Amino acid sequence: VSIKGLANLKYWTYRDVLQKPVEIPRSLIIVGGGPVGCEIGQAFQNLGSRVTIVAPRILPKEPEAVQQAMTDILVNETGINVVTGKVREVLRRIPGEATVLLEDGRYYVASQLLVAGGRSPNIRDLGLSNAGVKFSAQGIITNSNCRTSSRNIFAAGDCCENSNRYSHYAAWQAFVATKNALLPWWLRGGLGNKEVLVPRVTYTKPEVAAVGYSLQECEQYYGANGRQWYSIKVPNSYLDRSVAEGEYTGGFVEVYIHSNGKVLGASIISNRAGELISEVAIAIQNKLDVKALATTLHPYPSYSAALQKIWVDAAARNLLVNLTSNPIAGAFAFLMSVFNKGKREQATRSQ
């Protein structure tokens, strides 16, 4: 992060907070509203610090509805002061305090500063050019097998160009790189020609999770909502489990579905978003349609009941569309599904 005056000031990064004991500051300014800034900010606010988060947006990768909901949670549920703006300069006017000056002239003072403005690969001093390894400012360039431009050198994790910088993705890349480096060619395999599906989770309370296409990407690739694709949203207030646990009522589970019944993506705000998103990821990765998902029983009262409602609603919607557009074909498809279900049940009983 390039901020004027930052080099002259002692500040924290997430490493300082996670890798060694630190005192709880009276007040803390966090520069950056991404997952790390939100997670650490909420933690320190709950531990007694007066936290201010300065960022153009909260969770900028997420849909606007998620950004607004999480801003509301941080401000009204957690008590954090969220300041919308860009930092121009940081300085120390008073001993023991940091002053953050914004581009519009506003300034904020705290006893500690934490910078959570993102990371970049630290590869300049590795001598990659001497080894024939191509790289850019974004990281080491690799193919789908995690192989670099030097045939016998592989790379994995955050040091790679265009990498999804998540621990679970880095672990998957490490597995692929190790397999391709050590095993004979017929046992090797890459990440595949298609992009590997990478779920992401922000571990605030409630959690925020997403996978697959976002709302904006669905609109970009398939046009307006309701044509080639549609979305179904279930608010937390619908779920008995959420109500019983006093969960934030502004949260929701929203899934984006193609008109052919295939799942495109999802956004979730829930205390169990990190667990719920895995079911959606499995559905996308394995091209499961909503009819198959709708006939999978989910236990009550669980958070996953929100997903079952979505699958059932989507399957019913698709059936209704088929019946309306082509009554004969729709009725035939419905009867065949009932017939096939009966055959499966009969086979199960005979076993």
Side-chain angles (χ1 to χ4, degrees), residues 128-292:
L128 295 175
S129 298
N130 297 332
V133 176
K134 294 181 180 181
F135 63 95
S136 68
Q138 286 73 44
I140 298 172
I141 299 172
T142 60
N143 62 14
S144 62
N145 295 317
C146 293
R147 189 191 299 272
T148 68
S149 54
S150 181
R151 180 173 178 77
N152 295 320
I153 298 178
F154 295 79
D158 293 359
C159 66
C160 296
E161 184 185 56
N162 299 324
S163 174
N164 288 282
R165 293 188 165 90
Y166 304 108
S167 300
H168 46 289
Y169 186 64
W172 169 250
Q173 284 183 305
F175 164 73
V176 172
T178 303
K179 182 172 64 170
N180 285 296
L182 301 179
L183 296 181
W185 65 267
W186 62 86
L187 294 177
R188 298 173 185 173
L191 298 177
N193 293 328
K194 62 180 180 180
E195 183 179 351
V196 174
L197 195 65
V198 184
R200 63 178 182 270
V201 183
T202 300
Y203 293 98
T204 47
K205 186 177 181 180
E207 298 172 354
V208 176
V211 69
Y213 286 160
S214 66
L215 180 67
Q216 291 80 5
E217 287 173 327
C218 288
E219 293 174 343
Q220 176 184 348
Y221 298 135
Y222 300 109
N225 189 340
R227 295 181 180 177
Q228 295 187 59
W229 69 282
Y230 56 93
S231 64
I232 298 179
K233 179 188 288 187
V234 174
N236 288 347
S237 57
Y238 169 84
L239 291 176
D240 291 346
R241 180 64 177 275
S242 294
V243 174
E245 300 213 10
E247 189 174 358
Y248 172 69
T249 57
F252 55 83
V253 178
E254 185 172 28
V255 180
Y256 317 120
I257 303 165
H258 196 276
S259 57
N260 63 9
K262 296 297 188 291
V263 183
L264 298 173
S267 294
I268 304 176
I269 302 177
S270 167
N271 287 350
R272 299 293 185 273
E275 279 69 42
L276 292 172
I277 204 65
S278 296
E279 180 175 329
V280 183
I282 291 171
I284 299 173
Q285 189 75 49
N286 295 280
K287 295 182 172 57
L288 301 177
D289 61 36
V290 291
K291 185 173 69 173

Side-chain angles (χ1 to χ4, degrees), residues 282-329:
I282 291 171
I284 299 173
Q285 189 75 49
N286 295 280
K287 295 182 172 57
L288 301 177
D289 61 36
V290 291
K291 185 173 69 173
L293 295 165
T295 54
T296 301
L297 201 60
H298 294 61
Y300 174 88
S302 69
Y303 284 93
S304 64
L307 287 173
Q308 184 170 34
K309 175 174 172 52
I310 289 174
W311 306 141
V312 170
D313 288 354
R317 181 188 188 279
N318 287 357
L319 177 61
L320 181 62
V321 169
N322 289 335
L323 289 172
T324 303
S325 59
N326 192 336
I328 296 176

Side-chain angles (χ1 to χ4, degrees), residues 87-99:
V87 176
R88 187 178 74 189
E89 183 180 2
V90 295
L91 46 92
R92 190 177 297 281
R93 291 177 174 174
I94 305 173
E97 292 189 342
T99 299

